Amino acid sequence: MIRLSTNSFSWNTTYNKGVDELAPFDLCRQAAGCGAEGIEIDPASITSEQLADCGIALSGGSTGGPLYDNWTDADADKVVATAAGVKALGGEYVFFTAAPKGGWGAHEPVTADDLRLAGERFSALASRVAAEGVALGLHNHAACPEGLAAELALVRDHVDPALVGLYLDIGWAFCSDGDPVAIIREFGARCMEFHFRNHTADKVPSETLNEGALDTPEIVDAIIATGYAGWVALELWHREDVPVTKSMAECQ
């Protein structure tokens, strides 16, 4: 059964206009009021009792790090701690966002050696996360075709497929000139979760999911065809150049 989650990023006042500052409990309560069964939020910011009071589950959590650069034991320990927190609250997965080589905003090319080293690091990390009892997926977050190609190559060719899945962010795949449907068909059962957002043809995020250049029903059909039965998360992004006519709660 596919279950609907939402990501707390949607309510982040730093990145979204017209959104009130909300404490984690209030954010979860509002998300539940919008119909979400689950939420992706920092497990350290909420308790199981608060989630129960809101009537919402923790579906999973987010983390990341400099996988291609100066990766340290502390970076790995942070991911494992997030996984332990997710498990303690009944969550099922952690998605990991790898910073681009050279850091955010950099456009350094990723070499075959970079992918090999990152794959070794990520597989070792995945083994530790699996021991915590949650799944681990690489969350694509590149904003250019070369970056997306590197992320997909990392998952396809350089990690243990028994331990690492692809957390497909449909919006970022589109922004990197990728075809979400083709990616879903290629990776099949290795797609372990999904982020949904829509965009205009010039890559500006749309106000809601049901408007924009992406064919959401086609993407859903592709997911169903893989036999997927897990969480899918809505992650709207009301940045400054998005025409907003409704509140984030209404859009959710």
PDB file of all heavy atoms in Angstrom, residues 87-108:
ATOM      1  N   LYS A  87      14.346   5.180  13.850  1.00  0.00           N
ATOM      2  CA  LYS A  87      13.858   3.875  14.295  1.00  0.00           C
ATOM      3  C   LYS A  87      13.128   3.979  15.626  1.00  0.00           C
ATOM      4  O   LYS A  87      12.076   3.339  15.825  1.00  0.00           O
ATOM      5  CB  LYS A  87      15.032   2.903  14.417  1.00  0.00           C
ATOM      6  CG  LYS A  87      14.634   1.502  14.857  1.00  0.00           C
ATOM      7  CD  LYS A  87      13.749   0.834  13.825  1.00  0.00           C
ATOM      8  CE  LYS A  87      13.465  -0.610  14.207  1.00  0.00           C
ATOM      9  NZ  LYS A  87      12.585  -1.277  13.213  1.00  0.00           N
ATOM     10  N   ALA A  88      13.648   4.785  16.539  1.00  0.00           N
ATOM     11  CA  ALA A  88      13.035   4.923  17.860  1.00  0.00           C
ATOM     12  C   ALA A  88      11.627   5.488  17.782  1.00  0.00           C
ATOM     13  O   ALA A  88      10.793   5.222  18.661  1.00  0.00           O
ATOM     14  CB  ALA A  88      13.911   5.809  18.747  1.00  0.00           C
ATOM     15  N   LEU A  89      11.338   6.260  16.739  1.00  0.00           N
ATOM     16  CA  LEU A  89      10.007   6.853  16.581  1.00  0.00           C
ATOM     17  C   LEU A  89       9.136   6.067  15.598  1.00  0.00           C
ATOM     18  O   LEU A  89       8.066   6.546  15.210  1.00  0.00           O
ATOM     19  CB  LEU A  89      10.132   8.307  16.124  1.00  0.00           C
ATOM     20  CG  LEU A  89      10.786   9.270  17.124  1.00  0.00           C
ATOM     21  CD1 LEU A  89      10.798  10.684  16.571  1.00  0.00           C
ATOM     22  CD2 LEU A  89      10.073   9.239  18.464  1.00  0.00           C
ATOM     23  N   GLY A  90       9.599   4.896  15.204  1.00  0.00           N
ATOM     24  CA  GLY A  90       8.797   4.054  14.319  1.00  0.00           C
ATOM     25  C   GLY A  90       8.946   4.343  12.847  1.00  0.00           C
ATOM     26  O   GLY A  90       8.173   3.819  12.034  1.00  0.00           O
ATOM     27  N   GLY A  91       9.937   5.168  12.472  1.00  0.00           N
ATOM     28  CA  GLY A  91      10.148   5.482  11.068  1.00  0.00           C
ATOM     29  C   GLY A  91      10.811   4.343  10.319  1.00  0.00           C
ATOM     30  O   GLY A  91      11.343   3.404  10.922  1.00  0.00           O
ATOM     31  N   GLU A  92      10.809   4.440   8.995  1.00  0.00           N
ATOM     32  CA  GLU A  92      11.246   3.320   8.170  1.00  0.00           C
ATOM     33  C   GLU A  92      12.493   3.587   7.350  1.00  0.00           C
ATOM     34  O   GLU A  92      13.115   2.646   6.857  1.00  0.00           O
ATOM     35  CB  GLU A  92      10.108   2.913   7.228  1.00  0.00           C
ATOM     36  CG  GLU A  92       8.855   2.454   7.960  1.00  0.00           C
ATOM     37  CD  GLU A  92       7.721   2.109   7.011  1.00  0.00           C
ATOM     38  OE1 GLU A  92       7.981   1.930   5.796  1.00  0.00           O
ATOM     39  OE2 GLU A  92       6.572   2.022   7.481  1.00  0.00           O
ATOM     40  N   TYR A  93      12.888   4.846   7.168  1.00  0.00           N
ATOM     41  CA  TYR A  93      13.995   5.117   6.251  1.00  0.00           C
ATOM     42  C   TYR A  93      14.714   6.404   6.608  1.00  0.00           C
ATOM     43  O   TYR A  93      14.203   7.270   7.328  1.00  0.00           O
ATOM     44  CB  TYR A  93      13.495   5.203   4.804  1.00  0.00           C
ATOM     45  CG  TYR A  93      12.449   6.277   4.574  1.00  0.00           C
ATOM     46  CD1 TYR A  93      12.804   7.594   4.295  1.00  0.00           C
ATOM     47  CD2 TYR A  93      11.087   5.985   4.644  1.00  0.00           C
ATOM     48  CE1 TYR A  93      11.854   8.581   4.094  1.00  0.00           C
ATOM     49  CE2 TYR A  93      10.130   6.955   4.440  1.00  0.00           C
ATOM     50  CZ  TYR A  93      10.518   8.252   4.168  1.00  0.00           C
ATOM     51  OH  TYR A  93       9.561   9.228   3.981  1.00  0.00           O
ATOM     52  N   VAL A  94      15.913   6.513   6.075  1.00  0.00           N
ATOM     53  CA  VAL A  94      16.698   7.746   6.090  1.00  0.00           C
ATOM     54  C   VAL A  94      17.107   8.031   4.647  1.00  0.00           C
ATOM     55  O   VAL A  94      17.556   7.134   3.935  1.00  0.00           O
ATOM     56  CB  VAL A  94      17.952   7.608   6.968  1.00  0.00           C
ATOM     57  CG1 VAL A  94      18.885   8.798   6.766  1.00  0.00           C
ATOM     58  CG2 VAL A  94      17.575   7.481   8.438  1.00  0.00           C
ATOM     59  N   PHE A  95      16.911   9.271   4.209  1.00  0.00           N
ATOM     60  CA  PHE A  95      17.437   9.622   2.888  1.00  0.00           C
ATOM     61  C   PHE A  95      18.611  10.575   3.053  1.00  0.00           C
ATOM     62  O   PHE A  95      18.603  11.480   3.881  1.00  0.00           O
ATOM     63  CB  PHE A  95      16.355  10.174   1.957  1.00  0.00           C
ATOM     64  CG  PHE A  95      15.706  11.460   2.359  1.00  0.00           C
ATOM     65  CD1 PHE A  95      16.217  12.684   1.940  1.00  0.00           C
ATOM     66  CD2 PHE A  95      14.546  11.460   3.125  1.00  0.00           C
ATOM     67  CE1 PHE A  95      15.592  13.877   2.267  1.00  0.00           C
ATOM     68  CE2 PHE A  95      13.915  12.650   3.466  1.00  0.00           C
ATOM     69  CZ  PHE A  95      14.439  13.860   3.043  1.00  0.00           C
ATOM     70  N   PHE A  96      19.633  10.316   2.252  1.00  0.00           N
ATOM     71  CA  PHE A  96      20.913  11.002   2.372  1.00  0.00           C
ATOM     72  C   PHE A  96      21.148  11.863   1.140  1.00  0.00           C
ATOM     73  O   PHE A  96      21.094  11.370   0.009  1.00  0.00           O
ATOM     74  CB  PHE A  96      22.036   9.971   2.515  1.00  0.00           C
ATOM     75  CG  PHE A  96      23.410  10.567   2.647  1.00  0.00           C
ATOM     76  CD1 PHE A  96      23.986  10.756   3.896  1.00  0.00           C
ATOM     77  CD2 PHE A  96      24.151  10.915   1.521  1.00  0.00           C
ATOM     78  CE1 PHE A  96      25.260  11.295   4.019  1.00  0.00           C
ATOM     79  CE2 PHE A  96      25.419  11.458   1.634  1.00  0.00           C
ATOM     80  CZ  PHE A  96      25.977  11.653   2.882  1.00  0.00           C
ATOM     81  N   THR A  97      21.432  13.143   1.368  1.00  0.00           N
ATOM     82  CA  THR A  97      21.752  14.066   0.285  1.00  0.00           C
ATOM     83  C   THR A  97      23.254  14.309   0.280  1.00  0.00           C
ATOM     84  O   THR A  97      23.810  14.827   1.256  1.00  0.00           O
ATOM     85  CB  THR A  97      21.011  15.399   0.456  1.00  0.00           C
ATOM     86  OG1 THR A  97      19.605  15.153   0.558  1.00  0.00           O
ATOM     87  CG2 THR A  97      21.275  16.321  -0.712  1.00  0.00           C
ATOM     88  N   ALA A  98      23.905  13.909  -0.794  1.00  0.00           N
ATOM     89  CA  ALA A  98      25.351  14.101  -0.911  1.00  0.00           C
ATOM     90  C   ALA A  98      25.641  15.503  -1.435  1.00  0.00           C
ATOM     91  O   ALA A  98      25.144  15.892  -2.495  1.00  0.00           O
ATOM     92  CB  ALA A  98      25.953  13.056  -1.846  1.00  0.00           C
ATOM     93  N   ALA A  99      26.431  16.259  -0.695  1.00  0.00           N
ATOM     94  CA  ALA A  99      26.848  17.574  -1.184  1.00  0.00           C
ATOM     95  C   ALA A  99      27.635  17.408  -2.474  1.00  0.00           C
ATOM     96  O   ALA A  99      28.393  16.447  -2.633  1.00  0.00           O
ATOM     97  CB  ALA A  99      27.696  18.278  -0.134  1.00  0.00           C
ATOM     98  N   PRO A 100      27.468  18.316  -3.436  1.00  0.00           N
ATOM     99  CA  PRO A 100      28.248  18.217  -4.678  1.00  0.00           C
ATOM    100  C   PRO A 100      29.746  18.250  -4.381  1.00  0.00           C
ATOM    101  O   PRO A 100      30.189  18.795  -3.355  1.00  0.00           O
ATOM    102  CB  PRO A 100      27.816  19.451  -5.469  1.00  0.00           C
ATOM    103  CG  PRO A 100      26.524  19.876  -4.859  1.00  0.00           C
ATOM    104  CD  PRO A 100      26.587  19.484  -3.417  1.00  0.00           C
ATOM    105  N   LYS A 101      30.529  17.673  -5.249  1.00  0.00           N
ATOM    106  CA  LYS A 101      31.981  17.732  -5.097  1.00  0.00           C
ATOM    107  C   LYS A 101      32.422  19.193  -5.040  1.00  0.00           C
ATOM    108  O   LYS A 101      32.037  20.004  -5.886  1.00  0.00           O
ATOM    109  CB  LYS A 101      32.658  17.018  -6.270  1.00  0.00           C
ATOM    110  CG  LYS A 101      34.179  16.951  -6.147  1.00  0.00           C
ATOM    111  CD  LYS A 101      34.782  16.256  -7.338  1.00  0.00           C
ATOM    112  CE  LYS A 101      36.310  16.294  -7.277  1.00  0.00           C
ATOM    113  NZ  LYS A 101      36.925  15.662  -8.469  1.00  0.00           N
ATOM    114  N   GLY A 102      33.176  19.539  -4.010  1.00  0.00           N
ATOM    115  CA  GLY A 102      33.611  20.911  -3.823  1.00  0.00           C
ATOM    116  C   GLY A 102      32.671  21.738  -2.981  1.00  0.00           C
ATOM    117  O   GLY A 102      32.988  22.870  -2.628  1.00  0.00           O
ATOM    118  N   GLY A 103      31.486  21.179  -2.643  1.00  0.00           N
ATOM    119  CA  GLY A 103      30.530  21.889  -1.803  1.00  0.00           C
ATOM    120  C   GLY A 103      29.388  22.493  -2.590  1.00  0.00           C
ATOM    121  O   GLY A 103      29.426  22.565  -3.829  1.00  0.00           O
ATOM    122  N   TRP A 104      28.355  22.936  -1.871  1.00  0.00           N
ATOM    123  CA  TRP A 104      27.170  23.504  -2.518  1.00  0.00           C
ATOM    124  C   TRP A 104      27.541  24.758  -3.293  1.00  0.00           C
ATOM    125  O   TRP A 104      28.272  25.609  -2.808  1.00  0.00           O
ATOM    126  CB  TRP A 104      26.096  23.827  -1.477  1.00  0.00           C
ATOM    127  CG  TRP A 104      25.550  22.579  -0.851  1.00  0.00           C
ATOM    128  CD1 TRP A 104      25.801  22.091   0.392  1.00  0.00           C
ATOM    129  CD2 TRP A 104      24.676  21.636  -1.482  1.00  0.00           C
ATOM    130  NE1 TRP A 104      25.146  20.901   0.591  1.00  0.00           N
ATOM    131  CE2 TRP A 104      24.440  20.600  -0.536  1.00  0.00           C
ATOM    132  CE3 TRP A 104      24.068  21.555  -2.739  1.00  0.00           C
ATOM    133  CZ2 TRP A 104      23.624  19.506  -0.825  1.00  0.00           C
ATOM    134  CZ3 TRP A 104      23.257  20.475  -3.025  1.00  0.00           C
ATOM    135  CH2 TRP A 104      23.037  19.464  -2.079  1.00  0.00           C
ATOM    136  N   GLY A 105      27.057  24.838  -4.503  1.00  0.00           N
ATOM    137  CA  GLY A 105      27.377  25.952  -5.382  1.00  0.00           C
ATOM    138  C   GLY A 105      28.551  25.682  -6.295  1.00  0.00           C
ATOM    139  O   GLY A 105      28.778  26.424  -7.258  1.00  0.00           O
ATOM    140  N   ALA A 106      29.301  24.603  -6.017  1.00  0.00           N
ATOM    141  CA  ALA A 106      30.434  24.254  -6.866  1.00  0.00           C
ATOM    142  C   ALA A 106      29.956  23.400  -8.045  1.00  0.00           C
ATOM    143  O   ALA A 106      28.908  22.769  -7.987  1.00  0.00           O
ATOM    144  CB  ALA A 106      31.485  23.491  -6.068  1.00  0.00           C
ATOM    145  N   HIS A 107      30.745  23.398  -9.083  1.00  0.00           N
ATOM    146  CA  HIS A 107      30.401  22.612 -10.273  1.00  0.00           C
ATOM    147  C   HIS A 107      31.610  21.794 -10.720  1.00  0.00           C
ATOM    148  O   HIS A 107      31.917  21.718 -11.906  1.00  0.00           O
ATOM    149  CB  HIS A 107      29.921  23.526 -11.401  1.00  0.00           C
ATOM    150  CG  HIS A 107      28.655  24.260 -11.086  1.00  0.00           C
ATOM    151  ND1 HIS A 107      27.421  23.659 -11.122  1.00  0.00           N
ATOM    152  CD2 HIS A 107      28.448  25.546 -10.684  1.00  0.00           C
ATOM    153  CE1 HIS A 107      26.493  24.536 -10.773  1.00  0.00           C
ATOM    154  NE2 HIS A 107      27.090  25.680 -10.502  1.00  0.00           N
ATOM    155  N   GLU A 108      32.277  21.172  -9.758  1.00  0.00           N
ATOM    156  CA  GLU A 108      33.433  20.353 -10.091  1.00  0.00           C
ATOM    157  C   GLU A 108      32.974  19.019 -10.673  1.00  0.00           C
ATOM    158  O   GLU A 108      32.039  18.401 -10.170  1.00  0.00           O
ATOM    159  CB  GLU A 108      34.285  20.118  -8.844  1.00  0.00           C
ATOM    160  CG  GLU A 108      34.897  21.369  -8.247  1.00  0.00           C
ATOM    161  CD  GLU A 108      35.800  21.060  -7.062  1.00  0.00           C
ATOM    162  OE1 GLU A 108      36.333  19.927  -7.017  1.00  0.00           O
ATOM    163  OE2 GLU A 108      35.964  21.932  -6.197  1.00  0.00           O
TER     164      GLU A 108
END
